[in-house]
Amino acid sequence: MKITYYGHACFAVEVNGKTIVFDPFITGNPLAKDIQLKNIKADYILISHGHEDHTADAVALAHQTNALVVSNFEICNWVQEKGINRVHAMNIGGHYFFDFGKLKCVNAIHSSSMPDGSYGGSAMGFLIETSHRNVYYSGDTALTYDMKLIGDYKRIDICMLPIGSNFTMGIDNAIIASEFVNCDKVIGMHYDTFPPIKIDHQEAKEKFTNAGKELLLMNIGESITI
Ligand code: NI
Ligand code: MN
């Protein structure tokens, strides 16, 4: 499984010959200025919630790649109104088997209006189970005890958690979240993009190390293989 970071909360996960892009927000992200949207491939686009820093490039990327957009019912409707017909609506608690593996939608504690102010359903996170690795992408969320259910449910090899605070949980709560889901390998997301979510990288990494965990702060454009 290969994971590429495109900045903020946007990742591509390549597994079983398919590319899954999470929360595309590239052209509006000054930190991702070296990433060209037109070079990004996707078979699936997963959208955790409606906010602009998660949906801004979703329609353009779907047009460009013909990827299947997977999100909640309301966001799928919104995407369809913008001319994207390949959508698969889900909701929290549901799972579905795609050709890359099993995708389960899990709870996230956050809001979810669309950039135009329309209703964006409930924010959610995603659990991807494959024949190779299992990944938990929490989306924007507070720390929630519900994360214990995710850890009890499956072995999680790696998780992407927000660490920027202000709009989501911060570093200390992300450490607890990683305990709840029983996963010691964390990729940080949702930090540095805007002034209120700037973090001290060294301090963040040390806090995770002191808790017996590993925090990866990937460079934008960097890939890892697990
Ligand atoms: Ni948000
Ligand atoms: Mn956000």
Side-chain angles (χ1 to χ4, degrees):
M1 176 180 283
K2 184 177 169 190
I3 300 173
T4 303
Y5 187 46
Y6 291 124
H8 200 55
C10 182
F11 294 88
V13 170
E14 291 169 61
V15 64
N16 291 335
K18 301 293 169 186
T19 302
I20 306 151
V21 173
F22 294 80
D23 286 7
F25 172 62
I26 291 148
T27 54
N29 180 0
L31 300 185
K33 62 183 185 322
D34 294 335
I35 305 294
Q36 300 295 318
L37 186 70
K38 64 173 168 28
N39 295 336
I40 294 181
K41 295 188 169 40
D43 297 296
Y44 295 87
I45 300 168
L46 272 49
I47 304 174
S48 67
H49 67 291
H51 293 158
E52 188 153 30
D53 57 321
H54 301 261
T55 56
D57 290 320
V59 170
L61 187 62
H63 267 302
Q64 164 190 315
T65 59
N66 202 32
L68 182 70
V69 175
V70 183
S71 190
N72 69 28
F73 174 75
E74 291 80 4
I75 293 174
C76 283
N77 284 349
W78 182 83
V79 164
Q80 273 186 311
E81 282 166 17
K82 309 253 179 253
I84 302 299
N85 291 317
R86 296 200 67 232
V87 300
H88 182 106
M90 297 181 68
N91 218 325
I92 294 168
H95 70 255
Y96 192 82
F97 291 91
F98 295 96
D99 55 5
F100 60 81
K102 178 180 172 183
L103 173 68
K104 184 176 168 80
C105 300
V106 297
N107 196 26
I109 306 293
H110 197 68
S111 55
S112 177
S113 51
M114 304 312 299
D116 58 14
S118 61
Y119 178 58
S122 299
M124 56 193 191
F126 299 110
L127 177 61
I128 290 180
E129 293 168 48
T130 74
S131 52
H132 188 47
R133 298 285 189 190
N134 299 334
V135 184
Y136 169 49
Y137 175 94
S138 74
D140 283 11
T141 184
L143 177 65
T144 160
Y145 223 63
D146 288 355
M147 290 167 176
K148 288 209 160 200
L149 295 171
I150 300 167
D152 288 346
Y153 176 66
K154 285 292 166 183
R155 180 199 81 243
I156 295 167
D157 298 296
I158 195 160
C159 56
M160 292 86 138
L161 301 176
I163 56 170
S165 200
N166 195 74
F167 301 113
T168 65
M169 62 186 172
I171 294 152
D172 295 336
N173 278 183
I175 290 170
I176 298 171
S178 71
E179 274 161 23
F180 282 1
V181 298
N182 239 323
C183 175
D184 290 338
K185 203 174 178 66
V186 177
I187 302 176
M189 64 176 179
H190 217 275
Y191 65 94
D192 283 357
T193 318
F194 316 114
I197 60 172
K198 286 220 186 321
I199 65 158
D200 181 328
H201 291 209
Q202 196 57 37
E203 183 192 6
K205 287 187 160 203
E206 278 171 13
K207 282 186 168 181
F208 272 80
T209 304
N210 291 341
K213 296 169 183 300
E214 182 186 7
L215 175 67
L216 303 175
L217 298 178
M218 295 174 69
N219 295 318
I220 295 174
E222 183 187 351
S223 298
I224 57 164
T225 302
I226 64 158

